[in-house]
Amino acid sequence: NQAIEDGLIDRNYYPFGQSKFQPPKGKKIKHALFKEDVIKIFEYEADTISKECYCRDLWIFSYLCNGMNVKDIAFLRYSNINGNMLYFKREKTKKSNRSEKIINVPLTERALNIIEKWGNPQYSNDEFLFPILKEGDSPEAVRRKVSNLNGLISDSVKRIALKLGLQHKQITSNSARDAFATISAFQGRPLSDISESLGHSSINVTQHYLAGFADEDKMVWQNNLL
């Protein structure tokens, strides 16, 4: 790619693409968190004002808010809240879709408590909900802050998982999104509603998303039928 960009090689020599070599796509195996696992994380006692507690609470907030990812959490403002409902557009698809999907989330008592505990003081509706970003941050600063927080949350929940005996689940900041999707599905929530809650472009995307979970996890869910 660099040689083509520098004009050292003709683009016709590019080996990948349609009717050329296409690398095989491997199936990503995910390990679902069960409701019992999530409850253990909810009930885990962390020091009230510690970094561990902050990261655990943001993970819980993500789970309770339709599996919202860290970047979307970072961009939330008080203007996104109307009563006990939270409305937001995914940063990932904000500029790529002609018709932007607005995702609505009923705010539970636990989610509201997390906002009250860790949120910015509400001086105005334009205030960021959490003190993650600052007004006027450059795109580079936003990427750095979101990436750092993602890593911080992942490291914290991995340590918590180790203490709770859940280390085999490979828990990260994104596990909250996976847990929301799988637990909702196995509890009988309509796939169309899960898809809308996740902000997916279609139910097919959601079906593919849920298909990535390992057979061993599916067996546990199957046994839970009885």
Side-chain angles (χ1 to χ4, degrees):
N1 282 327
Q2 189 62 54
I4 291 173
E5 186 177 333
D6 293 342
L8 301 175
I9 299 177
D10 191 277
R11 184 167 293 278
N12 290 330
Y13 287 105
Y14 190 74
F16 307 106
Q18 190 172 1
S19 74
K20 294 184 179 182
F21 178 73
Q22 297 185 26
K25 294 182 179 179
K27 182 180 179 182
K28 185 179 180 182
I29 301 299
K30 299 180 180 181
H31 297 271
L33 282 172
F34 305 127
K35 189 175 179 180
E36 294 77 10
D37 301 330
V38 174
I39 290 173
K40 288 180 181 179
I41 297 173
F42 268 52
E43 294 178 345
Y44 173 78
E45 294 186 9
D47 291 339
T48 308
I49 56 173
S50 67
K51 190 177 294 184
E52 182 184 62
C53 185
Y54 173 66
C55 291
R56 190 278 311 270
D57 282 354
L58 285 185
W59 190 94
I60 290 174
F61 185 82
S62 170
Y63 173 79
L64 292 175
C65 294
N66 298 6
M68 190 188 306
N69 64 29
V70 172
K71 187 174 183 179
D72 289 331
I73 292 174
F75 273 93
L76 290 176
R77 298 177 185 267
Y78 279 97
S79 57
N80 291 106
I81 298 177
N82 185 1
N84 65 343
M85 295 294 293
L86 175 68
Y87 301 89
F88 74 100
K89 299 175 183 177
R90 293 197 67 194
E91 292 297 318
K92 180 180 180 180
T93 56
K94 246 183 186 179
K95 298 178 181 178
S96 61
N97 293 342
R98 291 182 180 177
S99 56
E100 296 176 353
K101 283 191 174 183
I102 298 178
I103 301 172
N104 56 79
V105 183
L107 289 172
T108 63
E109 184 178 355
R110 183 69 178 266
L112 289 169
N113 288 341
I114 291 171
I115 294 173
E116 183 178 356
K117 181 176 181 180
W118 299 109
N120 278 315
Q122 187 182 358
Y123 298 119
S124 70
N125 278 341
D126 291 332
E127 190 75 36
F128 283 116
L129 200 59
F130 294 103
I132 301 169
L133 303 178
K134 290 183 178 179
E135 206 67 54
D137 274 346
S138 66
E140 292 78 12
V142 170
R143 281 194 293 271
R144 185 183 69 253
K145 290 180 178 181
V146 170
S147 177
N148 288 344
L149 184 55
N150 253 317
L152 194 64
I153 293 175
S154 291
D155 289 343
S156 294
V157 292
K158 281 177 184 176
R159 284 194 294 270
I160 291 172
L162 186 63
K163 296 174 185 177
L164 296 174
L166 303 175
Q167 65 273 17
H168 63 291
K169 295 290 184 177
Q170 301 175 336
I171 303 175
T172 65
S173 59
N174 291 329
S175 299
R177 184 170 179 81
D178 296 339
F180 165 79
T182 53
I183 292 173
S184 295
F186 285 111
Q187 287 189 328
R189 190 168 184 169
L191 190 60
S192 58
D193 187 51
I194 297 173
S195 182
E196 182 181 334
S197 298
L198 291 169
H200 285 165
S201 57
S202 70
I203 291 180
N204 288 338
V205 176
T206 309
Q207 288 174 326
H208 179 75
Y209 182 86
L210 293 173
F213 290 90
D215 290 340
E216 66 214 47
D217 295 327
K218 293 177 182 178
M219 180 57 73
V220 175
W221 287 109
Q222 199 74 8
N223 290 332
N224 283 345
L225 291 174
L226 299 177

